[in-house]
Amino acid sequence: MVGAVSDGVDFKWNVSLCKHLSSAGCSSTHSSRSFQLITAAESEATYFFLFVFCDSGQLRKSRLKHSSMRLAAIVAGVKMFAAQQLNRATQLILICSLLWIEAPGLSMSSLVSSQTEDFIDWWQHAVFYQIYPRSFKDSNGDGIGDLQGIISKLPYLAETGITATWLSPIFQSPMVDFGYDISDYRAIQPEYGSMADFDQLVHKASSLGIKIILDFVPNHSSDQHEWFKKSVARDPVYENFYVWADGKKNEQGILQPPNNWLSVFYGSAWEWNEQRQQYYLHQFTKEQPDLNYRNPAVVQAMDEVLLFWLNKGVAGFRIDAVNHLYEREDLADEPLSGKTADPLSYEYTKHVHTKDLPEVLAMVQHWRQLLDDYSAKHPDGVTRIMMTEAYADLHVLMDYYETADGVRGSQMPFNFHFITDVDCDSDARDFVYNVEKWLIYMPRGHAANWVMGNHDNPRVASRFGSASVDAMNMLLLTLPGIAVTYNGEELGMEDYREISWEDTVDPPARNAGKKDYKKVSRDPERTPFQWSNASNAGFSTAAKTWLPVNPNYLGLNLAAQQEAARSHYKVYKALIELRKLPTLRRGRFSIEPLSRAVFALRRTLKDYETIVTIINVSAKEQLINLTDFINGPHKLIVEVAGVESTYNPGQALSSSALTLAPHEGLICKLIEA
């Protein structure tokens, strides 16, 4: 049963049995909650009631103080059971209800109401660690990361406290877009290894308590895929597997694309195929033709791909570019945006016919049903999950969770607001606003997620500044719900912006040309992982790596941070350990700007210590008074402090006069003054 919402976080209040409510000081009505008392069907109905706690759905309502009522109900029922005042049928009802009290269920921000038990599903409070395989670890000296390299570093992930990792594409590919152009959805890219290597990876990860999530790329395949080759040849089975259209002639009689649709990677989204004598759609590179999901055979083929990898033991999928799956059937031109005069720029038009069509939600819901059905048929206790990538309007993203009519889709529609909506110039109010708007719009019964970085955007240290790395990780890992970390962010790795044109391989950067490639290149955030100060940062023994290693690896590397008294890595590891606290797993949540420079968030759980995170996002020292925010004078005991902090774990601080250095973050527990 879904119940009270407080401070922007949803709780699930469990069903309880109650006897003699009046003697426990409980009433059958409540001024601020819609409570229902449902009598049992037995003759003892006068003694027992089931509470069904419901909520108005509005945030920031007064808290429901229900624990004494629940305790009274349980005690009364047990006493009657012991006195044998109940018949067998009602005894059974009581036993089942007591078991039901702690039954697991979904709840927003991955929090449950139980004060003593924790029934969060495995993914609802997990830290998902994104591995970019090509840059993680090279095991055979060819300069390219691979599966055996990942296997060799799984103990590192386990030691850090990671319990789930998702791999950027490892499928067979010509590597035009480095794995996002797939030529065989059921084969491993040879330079990454073999299917035997993958099986070993899943087995090793499982033995270490780590679940594997695969990057699934359904919008398009490679033009080297057999499906596309057969579609070009008009094979009856595959003729309509892709989006094909006739061209149109201009006033000069020159054949033109069917409409003005544009590629995300610059230029027309249409490419002429001489053999078939038609244009095909590609919303990304021309080597990535869009699949036609209006063809049921395509849907079936992709379902079979998902089932293939589920049977291999993966725990779910990250769905790439999901909001591009469908396009308007009549191929109408898209309206101009007015943002640029360049007719080949993706920003030239409003993408109302090629993104976020209603059919996308139906497909996401279809895949959710497939995953749920698979989980139900394989009762190993593991929920198979879906993470969806869509840079879209907030209202659209919320429908990915669940539509207005209650149909569920993605467990994790990625929340990119820390990437797209805040940066080094944002103040405390911007951070608070971007946290609260997600929680406010998120449907009840779902888990929030927070993505601080990925392979498509500049790293945290480069977006916010290296001095902010610890503070941003503190924010990420003390918010309610799911955290997503891109490999290397735990070290504070930085973008390598000085990659030469000759070494640049990213398709959008190559399309932009030598003059402008640095403005759009994603290569700087994809450089090899910096394991040590050995050659190539310990990533590879090759003479040349697929991308240059950032020269700062000599000082910024994992080995050095593991040995240092204080380091970004040690802060990150301490944060993951802290997340195991019941307060951070299922505690209530509130967040406020204390000034334009400082904001604080609070996690509270009855009978457990309150945890407070305070972050200074400014470049100046700040003196703050937390008394109002924490509801009275308390002492602060430092739990986690940053690399450059003057504070130490265990140190007692005053809540009324706390000094924070520029860009400092601090996590404390509260002690009564």
Side-chain angles (χ1 to χ4, degrees):
M1 300 295 173
V2 176
V5 171
S6 177
D7 297 321
V9 174
D10 187 5
F11 290 85
K12 174 188 60 126
W13 299 121
N14 298 309
V15 176
S16 302
L17 285 171
C18 182
K19 174 205 171 190
H20 298 309
L21 295 179
S22 58
S23 66
C26 307
S27 67
S28 62
T29 61
H30 192 281
S31 59
S32 64
R33 285 286 180 268
S34 12
F35 254 35
Q36 295 175 335
L37 295 176
I38 304 177
T39 59
E42 302 297 317
S43 61
E44 288 80 11
T46 56
Y47 301 116
F48 288 93
F49 296 88
L50 287 175
F51 276 102
V52 179
F53 296 96
C54 302
D55 187 71
S56 63
Q58 298 176 0
L59 297 176
R60 301 190 174 280
K61 291 283 188 177
S62 60
R63 295 185 178 96
L64 175 61
K65 303 295 186 182
H66 78 296
S67 55
S68 62
M69 291 184 287
R70 183 171 72 170
L71 180 60
I74 296 171
V75 170
V78 171
K79 284 182 177 179
M80 292 187 68
F81 188 101
Q84 297 184 343
Q85 295 174 355
L86 311 178
N87 66 30
R88 286 177 178 252
T90 309
Q91 289 177 13
L92 181 59
I93 292 173
L94 173 60
I95 293 170
C96 292
S97 298
L98 290 174
L99 291 173
W100 195 2
I101 286 171
E102 303 302 342
L106 293 173
S107 61
M108 175 174 147
S109 298
S110 73
L111 307 176
V112 295
S113 66
S114 169
Q115 304 292 337
T116 57
E117 299 294 338
D118 186 357
F119 287 105
I120 296 171
D121 203 353
W122 72 266
W123 54 274
Q124 291 178 300
H125 187 69
V127 177
F128 286 86
Y129 185 86
Q130 181 194 354
I131 290 178
Y132 194 72
R134 202 169 183 83
S135 289
F136 196 60
K137 177 62 178 173
D138 172 21
S139 70
N140 60 4
D142 64 356
I144 298 170
D146 48 47
L147 296 184
Q148 284 296 330
I150 295 172
I151 292 168
S152 72
K153 295 300 182 181
L154 286 175
Y156 160 69
L157 298 185
E159 179 187 352
T160 303
I162 298 297
T163 56
T165 182
W166 65 276
L167 310 179
S168 291
I170 57 173
F171 313 112
Q172 184 173 300
S173 167
M175 289 290 157
V176 171
D177 193 20
F178 299 100
Y180 288 92
D181 51 320
I182 297 170
S183 57
D184 189 338
Y185 285 92
R186 302 191 194 197
I188 300 295
Q189 172 66 4
E191 60 191 353
Y192 291 161
S194 65
M195 191 62 75
D197 292 327
F198 178 78
D199 292 338
Q200 182 185 350
L201 186 153
V202 173
H203 177 76
K204 178 66 173 179
S206 178
S207 72
L208 294 170
I210 299 172
K211 293 179 173 62
I212 300 295
I213 306 295
L214 290 185
D215 210 328
F216 178 54
V217 188
N219 179 70
H220 48 263
S221 74
S222 164
D223 61 354
Q224 299 304 305
H225 199 295
E226 285 302 311
W227 295 346
F228 186 72
K229 293 177 180 179
K230 290 179 179 180
S231 189
V232 168
R234 295 186 183 270
D235 181 304
V237 176
Y238 296 96
E239 183 173 6
N240 294 316
F241 249 57
Y242 296 83
V243 181
W244 294 94
D246 295 326
K248 57 184 181 181
K249 292 185 177 181
N250 61 16
E251 294 178 354
Q252 289 75 37
I254 300 173
L255 193 65
Q256 301 289 312
N259 57 32
N260 70 343
W261 295 356
L262 293 163
S263 164
V264 175
F265 289 170
Y266 199 75
S268 174
W270 297 96
E271 182 72 11
W272 176 255
N273 182 270
E274 188 66 27
Q275 180 179 345
R276 179 155 166 154
Q277 290 290 295
Q278 277 188 309
Y279 285 92
Y280 64 85
L281 180 69
H282 61 91
Q283 293 201 58
F284 295 89
T285 72
K286 63 183 177 63
E287 293 86 1
Q288 295 169 294
D290 276 37
L291 287 154
N292 175 20
Y293 278 85
R294 300 189 187 281
N295 181 349
V298 172
V299 176
Q300 181 180 345
M302 285 307 200
D303 286 356
E304 291 171 356
V305 169
L306 293 175
L307 291 170
F308 174 84
W309 291 105
L310 287 171
N311 288 332
K312 284 283 182 181
V314 305
F317 303 91
R318 177 259 191 189
I319 313 294
D320 178 71
V322 69
N323 54 335
H324 291 267
L325 287 179
Y326 284 88
E327 304 79 29
R328 184 163 160 169
E329 287 187 272
D330 65 4
L331 306 184
D333 278 351
E334 293 190 314
L336 304 187
S337 68
K339 294 180 178 180
T340 177
D342 183 356
L344 297 180
S345 168
Y346 189 63
E347 297 299 313
Y348 188 69
T349 58
K350 297 178 181 179
H351 307 291
V352 295
H353 303 326
T354 54
K355 282 179 62 180
D356 301 316
L357 270 64
E359 295 92 331
V360 171
L361 287 177
M363 184 54 57
V364 170
Q365 292 160 2
H366 167 80
W367 284 329
R368 171 64 181 269
Q369 190 62 56
L370 182 149
L371 293 172
D372 286 350
D373 289 346
Y374 190 93
S375 298
K377 292 175 182 177
H378 297 77
D380 53 8
V382 177
T383 303
R384 276 68 175 186
I385 67 161
M386 172 170 39
M387 309 151 74
T388 45
E389 182 210 32
Y391 291 87
D393 179 80
L394 184 61
H395 295 81
V396 173
L397 290 175
M398 295 304 113
D399 282 343
Y400 280 81
Y401 273 125
E402 182 178 329
T403 57
D405 57 358
V407 182
R408 295 194 169 202
S410 172
Q411 282 100 335
M412 285 178 60
F414 272 156
N415 173 4
F416 293 125
H417 290 158
F418 286 149
I419 294 176
T420 60
D421 290 19
V422 291
D423 57 27
C424 59
D425 296 321
S426 300
D427 69 24
R429 298 167 299 178
D430 298 319
F431 282 90
V432 171
Y433 171 69
N434 279 284
V435 169
E436 290 218 313
K437 71 181 180 183
W438 189 271
L439 294 176
I440 288 170
Y441 278 92
M442 184 172 65
R444 295 171 59 83
H446 294 275
N449 74 87
W450 317 94
V451 182
M452 193 62 76
N454 61 28
H455 62 292
D456 286 330
N457 293 280
R459 288 187 173 275
V460 170
S462 297
R463 292 202 318 276
F464 297 106
S466 59
S468 295
V469 167
D470 293 332
M472 292 301 102
N473 279 331
M474 290 177 188
L475 172 62
L476 174 70
L477 295 171
T478 56
L479 285 168
I482 302 158
V484 181
T485 292
Y486 177 48
N487 60 205
E489 302 290 30
E490 72 272 30
L491 310 182
M493 280 180 59
E494 300 171 359
D495 296 350
Y496 181 34
R497 285 284 155 194
E498 299 309 313
I499 296 176
S500 69
W501 168 250
E502 290 72 24
D503 286 333
T504 294
V505 294
D506 185 35
R510 300 298 301 185
N511 288 343
K514 189 173 183 178
K515 179 181 178 182
D516 296 322
Y517 78 96
K518 287 187 178 181
K519 297 178 183 177
V520 297
S521 181
R522 298 171 298 177
D523 289 340
E525 57 262 25
R526 297 178 177 183
T527 55
F529 194 95
Q530 295 165 205
W531 295 102
S532 70
N533 63 1
S535 176
N536 293 324
F539 162 72
S540 174
T541 58
K544 182 179 176 63
T545 55
W546 82 282
L547 277 177
V549 176
N550 192 324
N552 72 358
Y553 78 88
L554 291 171
L556 199 168
N557 61 74
L558 174 64
Q561 294 197 15
Q562 287 174 322
E563 294 173 4
R566 281 188 169 187
S567 68
H568 295 315
Y569 172 70
K570 287 190 173 179
V571 170
Y572 185 86
K573 187 177 179 181
L575 290 169
I576 289 190
E577 184 65 25
L578 194 71
R579 277 175 69 84
K580 297 176 182 178
L581 293 177
T583 302
L584 290 183
R585 288 183 65 81
R586 60 185 192 272
R588 297 182 179 190
F589 168 80
S590 62
I591 186 169
E592 291 181 15
L594 305 181
S595 67
R596 295 190 181 196
V598 179
F599 67 91
L601 62 92
R602 181 177 63 232
R603 305 296 304 278
T604 61
L605 184 64
K606 185 179 179 182
D607 299 328
Y608 292 92
E609 292 169 328
T610 293
I611 300 295
V612 177
T613 301
I614 316 105
I615 294 176
N616 176 11
V617 296
S618 77
K620 295 181 179 179
E621 182 179 279
Q622 301 291 327
L623 178 65
I624 60 170
N625 184 344
L626 282 169
T627 304
D628 289 341
F629 179 68
I630 59 179
N631 299 322
H634 292 77
K635 285 185 179 179
L636 305 175
I637 304 298
V638 176
E639 288 285 333
V640 181
V643 172
E644 301 298 332
S645 179
T646 58
Y647 302 124
N648 296 296
Q651 183 177 350
L653 306 174
S654 170
S655 61
S656 60
L658 177 65
T659 300
L660 289 180
H663 304 293
E664 181 172 14
L666 194 64
I667 299 176
C668 301
K669 63 182 177 183
L670 300 189
I671 303 294
E672 292 290 339

